[in-house]
Amino acid sequence: MADDAILARLIRRLDRSPFWKFLGMELAGAEEGVARVRLALRPDLKNSFGIMHGGVIGALVDTAGALALLTTGVDGPIPTVEYSLNFLAPVEGGAVTAEGRLLRRGRRIAVSEVTVTDEAGRLIAKGLVTNLVAE
């Protein structure tokens, strides 16, 4: 279930992100410890093989992981210190959704797991994102 206060807080933060707007990402939902980001494939997001560029998927994973942390009320900087990503299937059309789930939030480090699926529910990618929780 989405939490309106969490959604409003995330939207205020995302409105200050030129990169978010540049890619055309959409906040598809959020609740405590979980955030979903949607992105439709456009021609300018394709690589030379005609599929969604891996860097775009990486940006989705990074963003969904960070947003999962932000649902907990963190308000300061949360730089990504590491992320890993496994590509499991190509995206040839339609949209994808990245769902970030906060696995652990410590005093200084937070780790989120991110799953990327297409509109049919097919698993596209799996990632792990580590953010620094600034004081």
Side-chain angles (χ1 to χ4, degrees):
M1 174 187 291
D3 181 310
D4 291 340
I6 289 173
L7 286 171
R9 191 172 61 249
L10 294 180
I11 289 168
R12 279 193 305 274
R13 184 147 177 165
L14 292 168
D15 280 344
R16 298 188 316 252
S17 172
F19 186 68
W20 170 267
K21 294 173 185 175
F22 172 75
L23 278 183
M25 293 186 268
E26 302 169 16
L27 185 59
E31 60 223 41
E32 180 86 20
V34 179
R36 285 173 292 286
V37 178
R38 184 179 179 283
L39 180 63
L41 180 58
R42 307 183 310 265
D44 59 329
L45 299 179
K46 293 181 179 183
N47 64 19
S48 61
F49 300 108
I51 60 176
M52 185 176 278
H53 191 284
V56 173
I57 296 171
L60 281 169
V61 166
D62 185 31
T63 301
L67 288 174
L69 171 58
L70 290 173
T71 66
T72 67
V74 173
D75 194 39
I78 54 165
T80 302
V81 295
E82 180 181 26
Y83 79 84
S84 63
L85 177 58
N86 291 99
F87 298 98
L88 304 169
V91 179
E92 298 172 351
V96 295
T97 300
E99 180 176 277
R101 291 189 168 274
L102 186 63
L103 297 178
R104 184 175 194 296
R105 177 185 166 190
R107 204 171 83 273
R108 298 284 293 150
I109 296 290
V111 177
S112 299
E113 178 181 53
V114 182
T115 303
V116 181
T117 55
D118 67 9
E119 293 172 320
R122 181 175 64 138
L123 187 59
I124 299 301
K126 192 83 164 171
L128 201 60
V129 180
T130 304
N131 293 92
L132 179 65
V133 181
E135 294 181 344

